[in-house]
Amino acid sequence: MAFIAELEGKELAGYIDLLSNPDDPRAAIEQFIDDYAVYVSHPENALLGLEILTEALRNPMIADVFGKNRNRLSDALVCCLNKGAEAGIFVPYDDPHAVACMMLDTLEGLGLRRLSNKTPNENGIQSIRTFIFNGLKL
């Protein structure tokens, strides 16, 4: 499992780089939504994510290993949200970490729904993007 966590960390590195110190936080969030939604919607990624979550609930060591990847991604998202709030692009939140986690949960939920429905929802990513930006705008 540690090897899978290492692979996941490498796959998430591009998203972390994108979000960590963007020149344009809105563009970075928009690109992240589009790209991450596609990533988590690949059946193999959705299934693996579900299996990891299930195993992490039973095994604290697995939860720790994969939780570090999730924390790095959510921390980068928080950085982008804070930079956007400082620039007056996004509304400032008392708990940007909670907002970042909700964004990740929403995107990952889309991947799981696509897996269970076995039918692509062409409007899903656009709907999620609109939903997220409606929550972020001033």
Side-chain angles (χ1 to χ4, degrees):
M1 277 292 192
F3 177 71
I4 295 171
E6 185 179 326
L7 289 175
E8 179 191 52
K10 289 178 181 177
E11 290 178 347
L12 297 178
Y15 303 116
I16 292 166
D17 289 344
L18 170 71
L19 297 168
S20 290
N21 193 23
D23 292 330
D24 182 348
R26 180 177 172 80
I29 295 281
E30 191 167 327
Q31 183 179 345
F32 171 74
I33 291 168
D34 292 348
D35 295 351
Y36 193 67
V38 170
Y39 170 77
V40 297
S41 292
H42 285 120
E44 64 274 11
N45 293 338
L47 275 173
L48 183 59
L50 186 58
E51 289 175 15
I52 290 168
L53 176 62
T54 303
E55 187 60 29
L57 291 171
R58 291 188 286 256
N59 184 333
M61 187 169 64
I62 298 298
D64 182 56
V65 169
F66 285 95
K68 288 177 183 174
N69 286 338
R70 173 89 174 193
N71 289 341
R72 286 178 53 232
L73 182 58
S74 64
D75 289 347
L77 195 47
V78 166
C79 180
C80 189
L81 292 171
N82 285 339
K83 188 165 184 179
E86 290 166 7
I89 299 167
F90 302 145
V91 64
Y93 282 95
D94 292 334
D95 189 352
H97 180 73
V99 174
C101 288
M102 286 186 280
M103 290 171 66
L104 293 173
D105 290 344
T106 301
L107 291 163
E108 291 162 0
L110 174 67
L112 291 174
R113 282 191 305 280
R114 285 187 173 180
L115 180 65
S116 65
N117 293 339
K118 304 235 188 275
T119 55
N121 178 353
E122 299 303 324
N123 296 324
I125 295 172
Q126 177 60 41
S127 296
I128 287 175
R129 185 185 317 118
T130 300
F131 175 76
I132 289 171
F133 277 113
N134 281 341
L136 294 177
K137 68 181 177 182
L138 291 170

mmCIF file with all atom_site columns, all heavy atoms in Angstrom, residues 34-61:
data_model
loop_
_atom_site.group_PDB
_atom_site.id
_atom_site.type_symbol
_atom_site.label_atom_id
_atom_site.label_alt_id
_atom_site.label_comp_id
_atom_site.label_asym_id
_atom_site.label_entity_id
_atom_site.label_seq_id
_atom_site.pdbx_PDB_ins_code
_atom_site.Cartn_x
_atom_site.Cartn_y
_atom_site.Cartn_z
_atom_site.occupancy
_atom_site.B_iso_or_equiv
_atom_site.pdbx_formal_charge
_atom_site.auth_seq_id
_atom_site.auth_comp_id
_atom_site.auth_asym_id
_atom_site.auth_atom_id
_atom_site.pdbx_PDB_model_num
ATOM 1   N N   . ASP A 1 34 ? -11.491 21.312 -13.425 1.00 0.00 ? 34 ASP A N   1
ATOM 2   C CA  . ASP A 1 34 ? -11.611 20.577 -14.691 1.00 0.00 ? 34 ASP A CA  1
ATOM 3   C C   . ASP A 1 34 ? -10.715 19.341 -14.708 1.00 0.00 ? 34 ASP A C   1
ATOM 4   O O   . ASP A 1 34 ? -11.164 18.240 -15.040 1.00 0.00 ? 34 ASP A O   1
ATOM 5   C CB  . ASP A 1 34 ? -11.268 21.485 -15.866 1.00 0.00 ? 34 ASP A CB  1
ATOM 6   C CG  . ASP A 1 34 ? -12.279 22.591 -16.083 1.00 0.00 ? 34 ASP A CG  1
ATOM 7   O OD1 . ASP A 1 34 ? -13.376 22.546 -15.489 1.00 0.00 ? 34 ASP A OD1 1
ATOM 8   O OD2 . ASP A 1 34 ? -11.964 23.528 -16.846 1.00 0.00 ? 34 ASP A OD2 1
ATOM 9   N N   . ASP A 1 35 ? -9.451  19.513 -14.358 1.00 0.00 ? 35 ASP A N   1
ATOM 10  C CA  . ASP A 1 35 ? -8.497  18.415 -14.455 1.00 0.00 ? 35 ASP A CA  1
ATOM 11  C C   . ASP A 1 35 ? -8.724  17.345 -13.381 1.00 0.00 ? 35 ASP A C   1
ATOM 12  O O   . ASP A 1 35 ? -8.662  16.149 -13.656 1.00 0.00 ? 35 ASP A O   1
ATOM 13  C CB  . ASP A 1 35 ? -7.064  18.930 -14.359 1.00 0.00 ? 35 ASP A CB  1
ATOM 14  C CG  . ASP A 1 35 ? -6.674  19.819 -15.532 1.00 0.00 ? 35 ASP A CG  1
ATOM 15  O OD1 . ASP A 1 35 ? -7.436  19.920 -16.515 1.00 0.00 ? 35 ASP A OD1 1
ATOM 16  O OD2 . ASP A 1 35 ? -5.597  20.440 -15.453 1.00 0.00 ? 35 ASP A OD2 1
ATOM 17  N N   . TYR A 1 36 ? -8.985  17.774 -12.150 1.00 0.00 ? 36 TYR A N   1
ATOM 18  C CA  . TYR A 1 36 ? -9.175  16.810 -11.060 1.00 0.00 ? 36 TYR A CA  1
ATOM 19  C C   . TYR A 1 36 ? -10.475 16.030 -11.241 1.00 0.00 ? 36 TYR A C   1
ATOM 20  O O   . TYR A 1 36 ? -10.526 14.842 -10.944 1.00 0.00 ? 36 TYR A O   1
ATOM 21  C CB  . TYR A 1 36 ? -9.130  17.524 -9.708  1.00 0.00 ? 36 TYR A CB  1
ATOM 22  C CG  . TYR A 1 36 ? -9.000  16.589 -8.532  1.00 0.00 ? 36 TYR A CG  1
ATOM 23  C CD1 . TYR A 1 36 ? -7.827  15.854 -8.343  1.00 0.00 ? 36 TYR A CD1 1
ATOM 24  C CD2 . TYR A 1 36 ? -10.023 16.443 -7.611  1.00 0.00 ? 36 TYR A CD2 1
ATOM 25  C CE1 . TYR A 1 36 ? -7.689  14.995 -7.257  1.00 0.00 ? 36 TYR A CE1 1
ATOM 26  C CE2 . TYR A 1 36 ? -9.897  15.591 -6.527  1.00 0.00 ? 36 TYR A CE2 1
ATOM 27  C CZ  . TYR A 1 36 ? -8.738  14.866 -6.343  1.00 0.00 ? 36 TYR A CZ  1
ATOM 28  O OH  . TYR A 1 36 ? -8.611  14.016 -5.273  1.00 0.00 ? 36 TYR A OH  1
ATOM 29  N N   . ALA A 1 37 ? -11.503 16.687 -11.758 1.00 0.00 ? 37 ALA A N   1
ATOM 30  C CA  . ALA A 1 37 ? -12.766 15.977 -12.014 1.00 0.00 ? 37 ALA A CA  1
ATOM 31  C C   . ALA A 1 37 ? -12.563 14.863 -13.026 1.00 0.00 ? 37 ALA A C   1
ATOM 32  O O   . ALA A 1 37 ? -13.109 13.766 -12.873 1.00 0.00 ? 37 ALA A O   1
ATOM 33  C CB  . ALA A 1 37 ? -13.843 16.952 -12.489 1.00 0.00 ? 37 ALA A CB  1
ATOM 34  N N   . VAL A 1 38 ? -11.781 15.119 -14.045 1.00 0.00 ? 38 VAL A N   1
ATOM 35  C CA  . VAL A 1 38 ? -11.487 14.079 -15.036 1.00 0.00 ? 38 VAL A CA  1
ATOM 36  C C   . VAL A 1 38 ? -10.674 12.964 -14.385 1.00 0.00 ? 38 VAL A C   1
ATOM 37  O O   . VAL A 1 38 ? -10.962 11.780 -14.565 1.00 0.00 ? 38 VAL A O   1
ATOM 38  C CB  . VAL A 1 38 ? -10.756 14.682 -16.257 1.00 0.00 ? 38 VAL A CB  1
ATOM 39  C CG1 . VAL A 1 38 ? -10.220 13.588 -17.169 1.00 0.00 ? 38 VAL A CG1 1
ATOM 40  C CG2 . VAL A 1 38 ? -11.691 15.606 -17.026 1.00 0.00 ? 38 VAL A CG2 1
ATOM 41  N N   . TYR A 1 39 ? -9.662  13.344 -13.604 1.00 0.00 ? 39 TYR A N   1
ATOM 42  C CA  . TYR A 1 39 ? -8.800  12.366 -12.937 1.00 0.00 ? 39 TYR A CA  1
ATOM 43  C C   . TYR A 1 39 ? -9.605  11.432 -12.035 1.00 0.00 ? 39 TYR A C   1
ATOM 44  O O   . TYR A 1 39 ? -9.467  10.207 -12.111 1.00 0.00 ? 39 TYR A O   1
ATOM 45  C CB  . TYR A 1 39 ? -7.722  13.102 -12.141 1.00 0.00 ? 39 TYR A CB  1
ATOM 46  C CG  . TYR A 1 39 ? -6.908  12.232 -11.226 1.00 0.00 ? 39 TYR A CG  1
ATOM 47  C CD1 . TYR A 1 39 ? -5.895  11.423 -11.727 1.00 0.00 ? 39 TYR A CD1 1
ATOM 48  C CD2 . TYR A 1 39 ? -7.143  12.226 -9.853  1.00 0.00 ? 39 TYR A CD2 1
ATOM 49  C CE1 . TYR A 1 39 ? -5.134  10.616 -10.888 1.00 0.00 ? 39 TYR A CE1 1
ATOM 50  C CE2 . TYR A 1 39 ? -6.388  11.433 -9.004  1.00 0.00 ? 39 TYR A CE2 1
ATOM 51  C CZ  . TYR A 1 39 ? -5.393  10.625 -9.520  1.00 0.00 ? 39 TYR A CZ  1
ATOM 52  O OH  . TYR A 1 39 ? -4.653  9.836  -8.686  1.00 0.00 ? 39 TYR A OH  1
ATOM 53  N N   . VAL A 1 40 ? -10.446 11.986 -11.174 1.00 0.00 ? 40 VAL A N   1
ATOM 54  C CA  . VAL A 1 40 ? -11.197 11.144 -10.231 1.00 0.00 ? 40 VAL A CA  1
ATOM 55  C C   . VAL A 1 40 ? -12.347 10.405 -10.901 1.00 0.00 ? 40 VAL A C   1
ATOM 56  O O   . VAL A 1 40 ? -12.912 9.490  -10.307 1.00 0.00 ? 40 VAL A O   1
ATOM 57  C CB  . VAL A 1 40 ? -11.710 11.944 -9.003  1.00 0.00 ? 40 VAL A CB  1
ATOM 58  C CG1 . VAL A 1 40 ? -10.542 12.480 -8.195  1.00 0.00 ? 40 VAL A CG1 1
ATOM 59  C CG2 . VAL A 1 40 ? -12.679 13.037 -9.395  1.00 0.00 ? 40 VAL A CG2 1
ATOM 60  N N   . SER A 1 41 ? -12.674 10.781 -12.129 1.00 0.00 ? 41 SER A N   1
ATOM 61  C CA  . SER A 1 41 ? -13.754 10.102 -12.849 1.00 0.00 ? 41 SER A CA  1
ATOM 62  C C   . SER A 1 41 ? -13.276 8.895  -13.653 1.00 0.00 ? 41 SER A C   1
ATOM 63  O O   . SER A 1 41 ? -14.099 8.133  -14.137 1.00 0.00 ? 41 SER A O   1
ATOM 64  C CB  . SER A 1 41 ? -14.469 11.083 -13.782 1.00 0.00 ? 41 SER A CB  1
ATOM 65  O OG  . SER A 1 41 ? -15.163 12.047 -13.018 1.00 0.00 ? 41 SER A OG  1
ATOM 66  N N   . HIS A 1 42 ? -11.957 8.741  -13.816 1.00 0.00 ? 42 HIS A N   1
ATOM 67  C CA  . HIS A 1 42 ? -11.477 7.522  -14.462 1.00 0.00 ? 42 HIS A CA  1
ATOM 68  C C   . HIS A 1 42 ? -11.884 6.351  -13.581 1.00 0.00 ? 42 HIS A C   1
ATOM 69  O O   . HIS A 1 42 ? -11.628 6.376  -12.367 1.00 0.00 ? 42 HIS A O   1
ATOM 70  C CB  . HIS A 1 42 ? -9.957  7.543  -14.641 1.00 0.00 ? 42 HIS A CB  1
ATOM 71  C CG  . HIS A 1 42 ? -9.506  8.443  -15.730 1.00 0.00 ? 42 HIS A CG  1
ATOM 72  N ND1 . HIS A 1 42 ? -8.669  9.503  -15.498 1.00 0.00 ? 42 HIS A ND1 1
ATOM 73  C CD2 . HIS A 1 42 ? -9.768  8.445  -17.059 1.00 0.00 ? 42 HIS A CD2 1
ATOM 74  C CE1 . HIS A 1 42 ? -8.437  10.123 -16.646 1.00 0.00 ? 42 HIS A CE1 1
ATOM 75  N NE2 . HIS A 1 42 ? -9.101  9.503  -17.594 1.00 0.00 ? 42 HIS A NE2 1
ATOM 76  N N   . PRO A 1 43 ? -12.513 5.333  -14.137 1.00 0.00 ? 43 PRO A N   1
ATOM 77  C CA  . PRO A 1 43 ? -12.998 4.215  -13.313 1.00 0.00 ? 43 PRO A CA  1
ATOM 78  C C   . PRO A 1 43 ? -11.933 3.615  -12.398 1.00 0.00 ? 43 PRO A C   1
ATOM 79  O O   . PRO A 1 43 ? -12.217 3.331  -11.231 1.00 0.00 ? 43 PRO A O   1
ATOM 80  C CB  . PRO A 1 43 ? -13.491 3.194  -14.343 1.00 0.00 ? 43 PRO A CB  1
ATOM 81  C CG  . PRO A 1 43 ? -13.839 4.014  -15.537 1.00 0.00 ? 43 PRO A CG  1
ATOM 82  C CD  . PRO A 1 43 ? -12.868 5.163  -15.548 1.00 0.00 ? 43 PRO A CD  1
ATOM 83  N N   . GLU A 1 44 ? -10.713 3.459  -12.898 1.00 0.00 ? 44 GLU A N   1
ATOM 84  C CA  . GLU A 1 44 ? -9.673  2.860  -12.055 1.00 0.00 ? 44 GLU A CA  1
ATOM 85  C C   . GLU A 1 44 ? -9.323  3.766  -10.876 1.00 0.00 ? 44 GLU A C   1
ATOM 86  O O   . GLU A 1 44 ? -9.053  3.287  -9.769  1.00 0.00 ? 44 GLU A O   1
ATOM 87  C CB  . GLU A 1 44 ? -8.420  2.512  -12.879 1.00 0.00 ? 44 GLU A CB  1
ATOM 88  C CG  . GLU A 1 44 ? -7.703  3.689  -13.498 1.00 0.00 ? 44 GLU A CG  1
ATOM 89  C CD  . GLU A 1 44 ? -8.232  4.144  -14.855 1.00 0.00 ? 44 GLU A CD  1
ATOM 90  O OE1 . GLU A 1 44 ? -9.311  3.706  -15.289 1.00 0.00 ? 44 GLU A OE1 1
ATOM 91  O OE2 . GLU A 1 44 ? -7.550  4.968  -15.487 1.00 0.00 ? 44 GLU A OE2 1
ATOM 92  N N   . ASN A 1 45 ? -9.359  5.070  -11.055 1.00 0.00 ? 45 ASN A N   1
ATOM 93  C CA  . ASN A 1 45 ? -9.070  5.989  -9.955  1.00 0.00 ? 45 ASN A CA  1
ATOM 94  C C   . ASN A 1 45 ? -10.220 6.038  -8.958  1.00 0.00 ? 45 ASN A C   1
ATOM 95  O O   . ASN A 1 45 ? -9.992  6.085  -7.748  1.00 0.00 ? 45 ASN A O   1
ATOM 96  C CB  . ASN A 1 45 ? -8.767  7.382  -10.489 1.00 0.00 ? 45 ASN A CB  1
ATOM 97  C CG  . ASN A 1 45 ? -7.475  7.428  -11.269 1.00 0.00 ? 45 ASN A CG  1
ATOM 98  O OD1 . ASN A 1 45 ? -6.607  6.581  -11.101 1.00 0.00 ? 45 ASN A OD1 1
ATOM 99  N ND2 . ASN A 1 45 ? -7.340  8.404  -12.139 1.00 0.00 ? 45 ASN A ND2 1
ATOM 100 N N   . ALA A 1 46 ? -11.440 6.036  -9.459  1.00 0.00 ? 46 ALA A N   1
ATOM 101 C CA  . ALA A 1 46 ? -12.606 6.047  -8.573  1.00 0.00 ? 46 ALA A CA  1
ATOM 102 C C   . ALA A 1 46 ? -12.646 4.772  -7.731  1.00 0.00 ? 46 ALA A C   1
ATOM 103 O O   . ALA A 1 46 ? -12.879 4.826  -6.516  1.00 0.00 ? 46 ALA A O   1
ATOM 104 C CB  . ALA A 1 46 ? -13.892 6.216  -9.382  1.00 0.00 ? 46 ALA A CB  1
ATOM 105 N N   . LEU A 1 47 ? -12.417 3.630  -8.366  1.00 0.00 ? 47 LEU A N   1
ATOM 106 C CA  . LEU A 1 47 ? -12.418 2.357  -7.635  1.00 0.00 ? 47 LEU A CA  1
ATOM 107 C C   . LEU A 1 47 ? -11.295 2.300  -6.606  1.00 0.00 ? 47 LEU A C   1
ATOM 108 O O   . LEU A 1 47 ? -11.515 1.877  -5.461  1.00 0.00 ? 47 LEU A O   1
ATOM 109 C CB  . LEU A 1 47 ? -12.268 1.182  -8.608  1.00 0.00 ? 47 LEU A CB  1
ATOM 110 C CG  . LEU A 1 47 ? -13.536 0.672  -9.241  1.00 0.00 ? 47 LEU A CG  1
ATOM 111 C CD1 . LEU A 1 47 ? -13.217 -0.384 -10.300 1.00 0.00 ? 47 LEU A CD1 1
ATOM 112 C CD2 . LEU A 1 47 ? -14.475 0.108  -8.200  1.00 0.00 ? 47 LEU A CD2 1
ATOM 113 N N   . LEU A 1 48 ? -10.105 2.698  -7.004  1.00 0.00 ? 48 LEU A N   1
ATOM 114 C CA  . LEU A 1 48 ? -8.977  2.674  -6.083  1.00 0.00 ? 48 LEU A CA  1
ATOM 115 C C   . LEU A 1 48 ? -9.230  3.612  -4.902  1.00 0.00 ? 48 LEU A C   1
ATOM 116 O O   . LEU A 1 48 ? -8.961  3.263  -3.748  1.00 0.00 ? 48 LEU A O   1
ATOM 117 C CB  . LEU A 1 48 ? -7.680  3.053  -6.795  1.00 0.00 ? 48 LEU A CB  1
ATOM 118 C CG  . LEU A 1 48 ? -6.411  2.994  -5.945  1.00 0.00 ? 48 LEU A CG  1
ATOM 119 C CD1 . LEU A 1 48 ? -6.194  1.586  -5.387  1.00 0.00 ? 48 LEU A CD1 1
ATOM 120 C CD2 . LEU A 1 48 ? -5.211  3.439  -6.761  1.00 0.00 ? 48 LEU A CD2 1
ATOM 121 N N   . GLY A 1 49 ? -9.763  4.798  -5.180  1.00 0.00 ? 49 GLY A N   1
ATOM 122 C CA  . GLY A 1 49 ? -10.076 5.733  -4.101  1.00 0.00 ? 49 GLY A CA  1
ATOM 123 C C   . GLY A 1 49 ? -11.074 5.155  -3.116  1.00 0.00 ? 49 GLY A C   1
ATOM 124 O O   . GLY A 1 49 ? -10.926 5.301  -1.895  1.00 0.00 ? 49 GLY A O   1
ATOM 125 N N   . LEU A 1 50 ? -12.076 4.457  -3.628  1.00 0.00 ? 50 LEU A N   1
ATOM 126 C CA  . LEU A 1 50 ? -13.084 3.828  -2.774  1.00 0.00 ? 50 LEU A CA  1
ATOM 127 C C   . LEU A 1 50 ? -12.466 2.708  -1.943  1.00 0.00 ? 50 LEU A C   1
ATOM 128 O O   . LEU A 1 50 ? -12.725 2.587  -0.744  1.00 0.00 ? 50 LEU A O   1
ATOM 129 C CB  . LEU A 1 50 ? -14.234 3.299  -3.638  1.00 0.00 ? 50 LEU A CB  1
ATOM 130 C CG  . LEU A 1 50 ? -15.441 2.747  -2.912  1.00 0.00 ? 50 LEU A CG  1
ATOM 131 C CD1 . LEU A 1 50 ? -16.059 3.785  -1.992  1.00 0.00 ? 50 LEU A CD1 1
ATOM 132 C CD2 . LEU A 1 50 ? -16.465 2.271  -3.938  1.00 0.00 ? 50 LEU A CD2 1
ATOM 133 N N   . GLU A 1 51 ? -11.615 1.902  -2.566  1.00 0.00 ? 51 GLU A N   1
ATOM 134 C CA  . GLU A 1 51 ? -10.948 0.815  -1.843  1.00 0.00 ? 51 GLU A CA  1
ATOM 135 C C   . GLU A 1 51 ? -10.011 1.361  -0.768  1.00 0.00 ? 51 GLU A C   1
ATOM 136 O O   . GLU A 1 51 ? -9.950  0.821  0.341   1.00 0.00 ? 51 GLU A O   1
ATOM 137 C CB  . GLU A 1 51 ? -10.186 -0.077 -2.820  1.00 0.00 ? 51 GLU A CB  1
ATOM 138 C CG  . GLU A 1 51 ? -11.108 -0.908 -3.685  1.00 0.00 ? 51 GLU A CG  1
ATOM 139 C CD  . GLU A 1 51 ? -10.368 -1.716 -4.734  1.00 0.00 ? 51 GLU A CD  1
ATOM 140 O OE1 . GLU A 1 51 ? -9.136  -1.864 -4.631  1.00 0.00 ? 51 GLU A OE1 1
ATOM 141 O OE2 . GLU A 1 51 ? -11.046 -2.207 -5.660  1.00 0.00 ? 51 GLU A OE2 1
ATOM 142 N N   . ILE A 1 52 ? -9.290  2.418  -1.085  1.00 0.00 ? 52 ILE A N   1
ATOM 143 C CA  . ILE A 1 52 ? -8.388  3.012  -0.103  1.00 0.00 ? 52 ILE A CA  1
ATOM 144 C C   . ILE A 1 52 ? -9.168  3.580  1.073   1.00 0.00 ? 52 ILE A C   1
ATOM 145 O O   . ILE A 1 52 ? -8.801  3.384  2.234   1.00 0.00 ? 52 ILE A O   1
ATOM 146 C CB  . ILE A 1 52 ? -7.506  4.098  -0.763  1.00 0.00 ? 52 ILE A CB  1
ATOM 147 C CG1 . ILE A 1 52 ? -6.499  3.442  -1.707  1.00 0.00 ? 52 ILE A CG1 1
ATOM 148 C CG2 . ILE A 1 52 ? -6.807  4.951  0.290   1.00 0.00 ? 52 ILE A CG2 1
ATOM 149 C CD1 . ILE A 1 52 ? -5.788  4.415  -2.622  1.00 0.00 ? 52 ILE A CD1 1
ATOM 150 N N   . LEU A 1 53 ? -10.260 4.268  0.777   1.00 0.00 ? 53 LEU A N   1
ATOM 151 C CA  . LEU A 1 53 ? -11.086 4.822  1.853   1.00 0.00 ? 53 LEU A CA  1
ATOM 152 C C   . LEU A 1 53 ? -11.609 3.716  2.755   1.00 0.00 ? 53 LEU A C   1
ATOM 153 O O   . LEU A 1 53 ? -11.550 3.820  3.982   1.00 0.00 ? 53 LEU A O   1
ATOM 154 C CB  . LEU A 1 53 ? -12.256 5.628  1.267   1.00 0.00 ? 53 LEU A CB  1
ATOM 155 C CG  . LEU A 1 53 ? -13.255 6.173  2.269   1.00 0.00 ? 53 LEU A CG  1
ATOM 156 C CD1 . LEU A 1 53 ? -12.583 7.143  3.238   1.00 0.00 ? 53 LEU A CD1 1
ATOM 157 C CD2 . LEU A 1 53 ? -14.406 6.856  1.546   1.00 0.00 ? 53 LEU A CD2 1
ATOM 158 N N   . THR A 1 54 ? -12.091 2.649  2.165   1.00 0.00 ? 54 THR A N   1
ATOM 159 C CA  . THR A 1 54 ? -12.624 1.539  2.945   1.00 0.00 ? 54 THR A CA  1
ATOM 160 C C   . THR A 1 54 ? -11.541 0.921  3.822   1.00 0.00 ? 54 THR A C   1
ATOM 161 O O   . THR A 1 54 ? -11.759 0.660  5.014   1.00 0.00 ? 54 THR A O   1
ATOM 162 C CB  . THR A 1 54 ? -13.220 0.469  2.002   1.00 0.00 ? 54 THR A CB  1
ATOM 163 O OG1 . THR A 1 54 ? -14.219 1.088  1.198   1.00 0.00 ? 54 THR A OG1 1
ATOM 164 C CG2 . THR A 1 54 ? -13.831 -0.673 2.770   1.00 0.00 ? 54 THR A CG2 1
ATOM 165 N N   . GLU A 1 55 ? -10.373 0.693  3.255   1.00 0.00 ? 55 GLU A N   1
ATOM 166 C CA  . GLU A 1 55 ? -9.265  0.110  4.020   1.00 0.00 ? 55 GLU A CA  1
ATOM 167 C C   . GLU A 1 55 ? -8.774  1.082  5.085   1.00 0.00 ? 55 GLU A C   1
ATOM 168 O O   . GLU A 1 55 ? -8.424  0.670  6.195   1.00 0.00 ? 55 GLU A O   1
ATOM 169 C CB  . GLU A 1 55 ? -8.130  -0.306 3.090   1.00 0.00 ? 55 GLU A CB  1
ATOM 170 C CG  . GLU A 1 55 ? -7.029  -1.060 3.761   1.00 0.00 ? 55 GLU A CG  1
ATOM 171 C CD  . GLU A 1 55 ? -7.450  -2.363 4.432   1.00 0.00 ? 55 GLU A CD  1
ATOM 172 O OE1 . GLU A 1 55 ? -8.423  -3.005 3.973   1.00 0.00 ? 55 GLU A OE1 1
ATOM 173 O OE2 . GLU A 1 55 ? -6.813  -2.739 5.437   1.00 0.00 ? 55 GLU A OE2 1
ATOM 174 N N   . ALA A 1 56 ? -8.744  2.368  4.781   1.00 0.00 ? 56 ALA A N   1
ATOM 175 C CA  . ALA A 1 56 ? -8.283  3.372  5.745   1.00 0.00 ? 56 ALA A CA  1
ATOM 176 C C   . ALA A 1 56 ? -9.198  3.432  6.965   1.00 0.00 ? 56 ALA A C   1
ATOM 177 O O   . ALA A 1 56 ? -8.740  3.715  8.077   1.00 0.00 ? 56 ALA A O   1
ATOM 178 C CB  . ALA A 1 56 ? -8.187  4.737  5.080   1.00 0.00 ? 56 ALA A CB  1
ATOM 179 N N   . LEU A 1 57 ? -10.465 3.157  6.766   1.00 0.00 ? 57 LEU A N   1
ATOM 180 C CA  . LEU A 1 57 ? -11.397 3.143  7.901   1.00 0.00 ? 57 LEU A CA  1
ATOM 181 C C   . LEU A 1 57 ? -11.095 1.998  8.859   1.00 0.00 ? 57 LEU A C   1
ATOM 182 O O   . LEU A 1 57 ? -11.378 2.094  10.056  1.00 0.00 ? 57 LEU A O   1
ATOM 183 C CB  . LEU A 1 57 ? -12.840 3.044  7.401   1.00 0.00 ? 57 LEU A CB  1
ATOM 184 C CG  . LEU A 1 57 ? -13.370 4.273  6.674   1.00 0.00 ? 57 LEU A CG  1
ATOM 185 C CD1 . LEU A 1 57 ? -14.716 3.976  6.032   1.00 0.00 ? 57 LEU A CD1 1
ATOM 186 C CD2 . LEU A 1 57 ? -13.464 5.458  7.622   1.00 0.00 ? 57 LEU A CD2 1
ATOM 187 N N   . ARG A 1 58 ? -10.508 0.920  8.345   1.00 0.00 ? 58 ARG A N   1
ATOM 188 C CA  . ARG A 1 58 ? -10.186 -0.241 9.167   1.00 0.00 ? 58 ARG A CA  1
ATOM 189 C C   . ARG A 1 58 ? -8.754  -0.216 9.696   1.00 0.00 ? 58 ARG A C   1
ATOM 190 O O   . ARG A 1 58 ? -8.457  -0.862 10.703  1.00 0.00 ? 58 ARG A O   1
ATOM 191 C CB  . ARG A 1 58 ? -10.368 -1.528 8.355   1.00 0.00 ? 58 ARG A CB  1
ATOM 192 C CG  . ARG A 1 58 ? -11.787 -1.860 8.004   1.00 0.00 ? 58 ARG A CG  1
ATOM 193 C CD  . ARG A 1 58 ? -11.861 -3.247 7.380   1.00 0.00 ? 58 ARG A CD  1
ATOM 194 N NE  . ARG A 1 58 ? -11.346 -3.229 6.018   1.00 0.00 ? 58 ARG A NE  1
ATOM 195 C CZ  . ARG A 1 58 ? -12.098 -3.258 4.927   1.00 0.00 ? 58 ARG A CZ  1
ATOM 196 N NH1 . ARG A 1 58 ? -13.405 -3.307 5.047   1.00 0.00 ? 58 ARG A NH1 1
ATOM 197 N NH2 . ARG A 1 58 ? -11.556 -3.251 3.734   1.00 0.00 ? 58 ARG A NH2 1
ATOM 198 N N   . ASN A 1 59 ? -7.872  0.488  8.986   1.00 0.00 ? 59 ASN A N   1
ATOM 199 C CA  . ASN A 1 59 ? -6.449  0.396  9.290   1.00 0.00 ? 59 ASN A CA  1
ATOM 200 C C   . ASN A 1 59 ? -5.861  1.800  9.439   1.00 0.00 ? 59 ASN A C   1
ATOM 201 O O   . ASN A 1 59 ? -5.664  2.501  8.446   1.00 0.00 ? 59 ASN A O   1
ATOM 202 C CB  . ASN A 1 59 ? -5.756  -0.367 8.151   1.00 0.00 ? 59 ASN A CB  1
ATOM 203 C CG  . ASN A 1 59 ? -4.301  -0.619 8.400   1.00 0.00 ? 59 ASN A CG  1
ATOM 204 O OD1 . ASN A 1 59 ? -3.630  0.121  9.110   1.00 0.00 ? 59 ASN A OD1 1
ATOM 205 N ND2 . ASN A 1 59 ? -3.778  -1.664 7.775   1.00 0.00 ? 59 ASN A ND2 1
ATOM 206 N N   . PRO A 1 60 ? -5.552  2.192  10.670  1.00 0.00 ? 60 PRO A N   1
ATOM 207 C CA  . PRO A 1 60 ? -5.026  3.544  10.900  1.00 0.00 ? 60 PRO A CA  1
ATOM 208 C C   . PRO A 1 60 ? -3.722  3.832  10.147  1.00 0.00 ? 60 PRO A C   1
ATOM 209 O O   . PRO A 1 60 ? -3.474  4.972  9.766   1.00 0.00 ? 60 PRO A O   1
ATOM 210 C CB  . PRO A 1 60 ? -4.792  3.600  12.408  1.00 0.00 ? 60 PRO A CB  1
ATOM 211 C CG  . PRO A 1 60 ? -5.612  2.501  12.979  1.00 0.00 ? 60 PRO A CG  1
ATOM 212 C CD  . PRO A 1 60 ? -5.743  1.464  11.913  1.00 0.00 ? 60 PRO A CD  1
ATOM 213 N N   . MET A 1 61 ? -2.885  2.821  9.925   1.00 0.00 ? 61 MET A N   1
ATOM 214 C CA  . MET A 1 61 ? -1.636  3.038  9.206   1.00 0.00 ? 61 MET A CA  1
ATOM 215 C C   . MET A 1 61 ? -1.923  3.426  7.753   1.00 0.00 ? 61 MET A C   1
ATOM 216 O O   . MET A 1 61 ? -1.299  4.334  7.215   1.00 0.00 ? 61 MET A O   1
ATOM 217 C CB  . MET A 1 61 ? -0.757  1.793  9.250   1.00 0.00 ? 61 MET A CB  1
ATOM 218 C CG  . MET A 1 61 ? 0.620   2.032  8.658   1.00 0.00 ? 61 MET A CG  1
ATOM 219 S SD  . MET A 1 61 ? 1.800   0.708  8.955   1.00 0.00 ? 61 MET A SD  1
ATOM 220 C CE  . MET A 1 61 ? 1.055   -0.642 8.075   1.00 0.00 ? 61 MET A CE  1
#
